[in-house]
Amino acid sequence: MITTEPNPYWEIVMHRAAAVWEAHCQPGADLAAGMPVYLQHAQDFELIQATHIAQMCLTAVVHEDAPAATRAADGTVNFDRLVPPGSDPGTRNAAADYLIALCEFSLSQAVEAADQQMTALSPARTVIQTVLNGAPHGLPGRERAINAIWALRDDAGALSGVLALTGAALEAVRSRP
């Protein structure tokens, strides 16, 4: 049964997505600027649910504000145009920071995971493109995005990659000409 009552969880997600965007808009913000918000959400719920905030940022900010040059013919954002794959080494470092904070990795574990992060960014990029492709399609698009993210539930590296790459996308949109 579909209800029209507000869902308190999604209200939290929307407020926290706004806080992530605000953090990325601060002068000197880096790709992990949203980490305190994601960390709080992961503590309140689970790591996988922190990606709901990233999904909201991608659909409400990146999809809406991405430059025309990054869009495909159907109007969806082409993530590789917005955040070129060559920019992944910086994103890898942010993903390692997320692993340390969200998954309680030690610095040495995070450093060891650096090569794995590069591998984990590939599925993370695919999931982000799925989220962006679904953005203009309402509920069916959101369902595809949630399913794509859910598929990463057991891969902390890929989930951290989604958060770091979302930061890169927010940075690309914030700093657009």
Side-chain angles (χ1 to χ4, degrees):
M1 180 172 148
I2 297 177
T3 179
T4 57
E5 294 179 32
N7 180 325
Y9 173 75
W10 289 110
E11 291 291 322
I12 293 168
V13 169
M14 287 189 296
H15 288 287
R16 289 182 173 169
V20 167
W21 175 235
E22 185 176 313
H24 279 278
C25 287
Q26 298 303 311
D30 65 12
L31 300 182
M35 188 181 315
V37 179
Y38 290 127
L39 182 58
Q40 183 62 54
H41 202 74
Q43 289 172 343
D44 291 347
F45 301 100
E46 293 181 31
L47 174 60
I48 184 74
Q49 289 174 298
T51 60
H52 293 157
I53 296 169
Q55 180 183 351
M56 184 71 68
C57 288
L58 291 165
T59 58
V61 178
V62 175
H63 170 71
E64 296 298 324
D65 295 342
T70 65
R71 295 188 182 272
D74 66 356
T76 58
V77 177
N78 179 313
F79 188 66
D80 284 346
R81 289 185 198 160
L82 184 67
V83 179
S87 65
D88 284 349
T91 307
R92 180 200 62 200
N93 295 338
D97 289 342
Y98 279 113
L99 282 172
I100 292 168
L102 295 171
C103 302
E104 299 180 355
F105 276 37
S106 68
L107 178 58
S108 63
Q109 288 172 315
V111 170
E112 282 182 35
D115 289 337
Q116 295 172 352
Q117 284 302 320
M118 291 308 285
T119 302
L121 290 178
S122 179
R125 281 184 162 279
T126 300
V127 164
I128 288 175
Q129 189 61 62
T130 300
V131 171
L132 292 171
N133 289 347
H137 301 290
L139 184 58
R142 287 191 299 274
E143 288 175 0
R144 284 190 298 275
I146 287 171
N147 289 337
I149 291 171
W150 180 251
L152 301 179
R153 69 188 171 280
D154 295 326
D155 187 345
L159 292 173
S160 296
V162 167
L163 301 180
L165 287 167
T166 298
L170 291 170
E171 175 61 25
V173 169
R174 182 182 69 81
S175 63
R176 69 186 167 109

